[in-house]
Amino acid sequence: MPSARGLCSRGSPAALPGPVWNSARKPVRGHRLKAQEDKTHEAQTGVQGLVSTNGSAAQISQFTLDNGLRVVTAPAATGQVAAVNLWYGVGSRHEVPGRTGFAHLFEHLMFQGSGSVKKGDHFEAVERLGGDINASTSTDRTNYFETVPEHALDLVLWLEADRLATLREGVTQEVLDNQRDVVKNERRQRYDNVPYGTALERILRLGYPENHPYHHPTIGSMEDLDAADLDYVLSFHERHYGPDNLVLTVVSNLDPEDVRGRVERYFGGIPARSTAAEAPDAALDGLIGGPVRDMVTENVPAPAVFLGYRVPPYGERDFDIMHLLSAILGQGQGSRLYRRLVVERGLAADDGGAAADLLPFRYTPSLMLVNMIAREGVSGDELETAMAEEIAALAEGVSAEELERARAILERDHLQSLSHPSGLADAISSCTQLFGDPELAYTWPQRWADITTDEIVAGAKRLLTSENLLVVRFDPEASDESTTTA
């Protein structure tokens, strides 16, 4: 589940703000954030330099093959490498009740062999070249990406085209059973058997009604994974994996026409899907209808509070407003929550300034999440009350300095996401798949430039209300010592 940091980029399938992280996303520690906050002017001028001075957005080339495959190229900042990034327009929102977790399961199956490549050989071929390779799944897409020496571009394009065209020839019952067990173990490690691991799952249940496409996490449920059968798995690939549902981005210093010729050679003969799958209706109006709560008592080291608010879909101006608001509230050591609850009052654990962010959903209302863990001796009630007070204070006003600081933080995060060819390729694929505009990868920070403090306050008044609030609370089980009477 992606967070909004580094928008138009990969994010993480299950990322949450604050000190609760899965293995796919690492926390940005406080000293790093502090050093970067001191570079406000550098970040602001950097955006203008990237967009205007070197004309990077104008160097994007895009074309569409006859089978519907959209291809985008852009120049790399470093020579002799090629970053290949594929965004398939299928994610957990395309799943139906009783069939959850299939998009993520397919992320695994795509590395288990095809008609021409044996199990594990795709990874081995890339890593033998010193390249990087991985994949991720979110609500709205499944993403595969490699960075290799430039001379290996043909190999990567052939590998990707082969598994798109012939994967179903390599998926057997044995492969399905093996990868189902791998995914189930991943669920145990990231969700079920770690402190606060089910937070995201609980948040989505409260934020979206039952049977809504965003009601369940990408990992799916154990029951649905157990029920996965080979025929349905093969039909899932046939319905969702086709060149007409794919954006392929190549970031390198090769001529765009050269890249186009190579892509045509490997992908041009793959037919479009005979029937394009439709996503379930994700339309959703209004507030959450809160406050709604999920109070959890289990074996956790300290109380943790997760607050959520439904906000507009990713891509709308009101989303951008709430994104800046989240940075004012809880991103960086200059944010309100860090200064007040970590430094001044000592109520929350030091998260380095990462207490608030947005889960950016393109096709339904997004969620703004605020998360903190209590320090020793602080109760969940005390921490939740203090967090609510700071959130409520946003409706009373924000300063121009706070807004400028928030803008600089978001710009910095965005620029960092583009600093490597792989990150740039991912951002371009994202903006093309979700918005049909690859240049947004470069120009996105301009969306924050004219947002005012009045708009921030108005957003707080309209959306940060009890009627739009969900709460997930984790409290430790009572210890034997505390429950024993004298």
Side-chain angles (χ1 to χ4, degrees), residues 12 17 116 157 182 367 421 442 448 459 469:
S12 161
S116 306
L157 293 176
V182 170
L367 286 176
Y442 293 103
W448 301 312
L469 172 65

Side-chain angles (χ1 to χ4, degrees), residues 54 170 239 350 466:
N54 64 15
R239 286 181 288 113
D350 191 339
S466 60

Side-chain angles (χ1 to χ4, degrees), residues 292-311:
V292 291
R293 288 181 168 270
D294 186 356
M295 304 292 287
V296 186
T297 301
E298 61 183 32
N299 185 21
V300 294
V305 180
F306 296 81
L307 307 179
Y309 301 87
R310 193 180 288 169
V311 301

Side-chain angles (χ1 to χ4, degrees), residues 107-177:
E107 176 199 322
H108 287 253
L109 292 173
M110 287 282 277
F111 291 98
Q112 298 307 303
S114 60
S116 306
V117 178
K118 295 180 181 179
K119 177 181 178 180
D121 281 2
H122 191 137
F123 262 109
E124 183 181 344
V126 173
E127 291 176 342
R128 192 188 308 125
L129 294 163
D132 294 325
I133 178 173
N134 215 326
S136 69
T137 309
S138 78
T139 52
D140 299 336
R141 57 92 181 120
T142 307
N143 171 223
Y144 303 89
F145 49 98
E146 294 104 336
T147 302
V148 295
E150 199 173 81
H151 66 78
L153 176 60
D154 283 88
L155 172 62
V156 169
L157 293 176
W158 178 81
L159 287 167
E160 291 292 356
D162 177 71
R163 66 177 173 182
L164 171 59
T166 71
L167 181 88
R168 294 191 294 277
E169 298 175 24
V171 177
T172 64
Q173 187 65 52
E174 180 183 1
V175 168
L176 173 59
D177 291 343

Side-chain angles (χ1 to χ4, degrees), residues 425-480:
D426 189 65
I428 290 173
S429 290
S430 171
C431 290
T432 306
Q433 181 70 261
L434 299 179
F435 302 104
D437 184 1
E439 293 185 7
L440 279 175
Y442 293 103
T443 64
W444 193 277
Q446 295 175 1
R447 299 165 63 97
W448 301 312
D450 64 346
I451 290 175
T452 67
T453 56
D454 288 343
E455 289 179 288
I456 299 290
V457 171
K461 290 180 178 178
R462 185 174 71 256
L463 296 172
L464 303 187
T465 65
S466 60
E467 294 79 14
N468 196 33
L469 172 65
L470 67 85
V471 181
V472 174
R473 267 266 302 277
F474 288 84
D475 288 297
E477 297 171 339
S479 65
D480 292 339

Side-chain angles (χ1 to χ4, degrees), residues 165-319:
T166 71
L167 181 88
R168 294 191 294 277
E169 298 175 24
V171 177
T172 64
Q173 187 65 52
E174 180 183 1
V175 168
L176 173 59
D177 291 343
N178 174 268
Q179 290 307 299
R180 175 177 24 219
D181 288 343
V182 170
V183 172
K184 288 171 64 177
N185 190 51
E186 180 180 341
R187 182 185 166 93
R188 295 184 189 100
Q189 291 179 339
R190 291 188 177 183
Y191 285 74
D192 298 334
N193 297 331
V194 295
Y196 322 111
T198 60
L200 177 63
E201 190 168 24
R202 296 172 185 277
I203 287 165
L204 294 175
R205 287 176 189 163
L206 296 180
Y208 301 93
E210 190 172 358
N211 295 330
H212 187 273
Y214 292 76
H215 179 76
H216 65 276
T218 301
I219 195 74
S221 71
M222 287 291 198
E223 295 77 15
D224 290 354
L225 291 170
D226 282 334
D229 62 86
L230 184 60
D231 287 343
Y232 186 84
V233 166
L234 295 177
S235 70
F236 188 91
H237 183 269
E238 185 176 11
R239 286 181 288 113
H240 293 285
Y241 278 79
D244 53 313
N245 197 30
L246 170 61
V247 171
L248 190 160
T249 299
V250 177
V251 171
S252 71
N253 285 323
L254 294 170
D255 183 89
E257 286 302 315
D258 182 3
V259 175
R260 176 173 186 160
R262 300 184 196 210
V263 175
E264 287 266 16
R265 184 185 317 150
Y266 299 111
F267 286 86
I270 303 174
R273 296 169 296 167
S274 57
T275 302
E278 294 185 4
D281 183 13
L284 195 61
D285 295 322
L287 306 178
I288 287 175
V292 291
R293 288 181 168 270
D294 186 356
M295 304 292 287
V296 186
T297 301
E298 61 183 32
N299 185 21
V300 294
V305 180
F306 296 81
L307 307 179
Y309 301 87
R310 193 180 288 169
V311 301
Y314 177 31
E316 295 187 8
R317 181 176 176 85
D318 282 343
F319 175 96

Side-chain angles (χ1 to χ4, degrees), residues 78-95:
T78 55
Q80 306 304 312
V81 299
V84 178
N85 191 285
L86 296 87
W87 269 52
Y88 288 94
V90 55
S92 58
R93 76 182 181 98
H94 295 86
E95 300 161 353

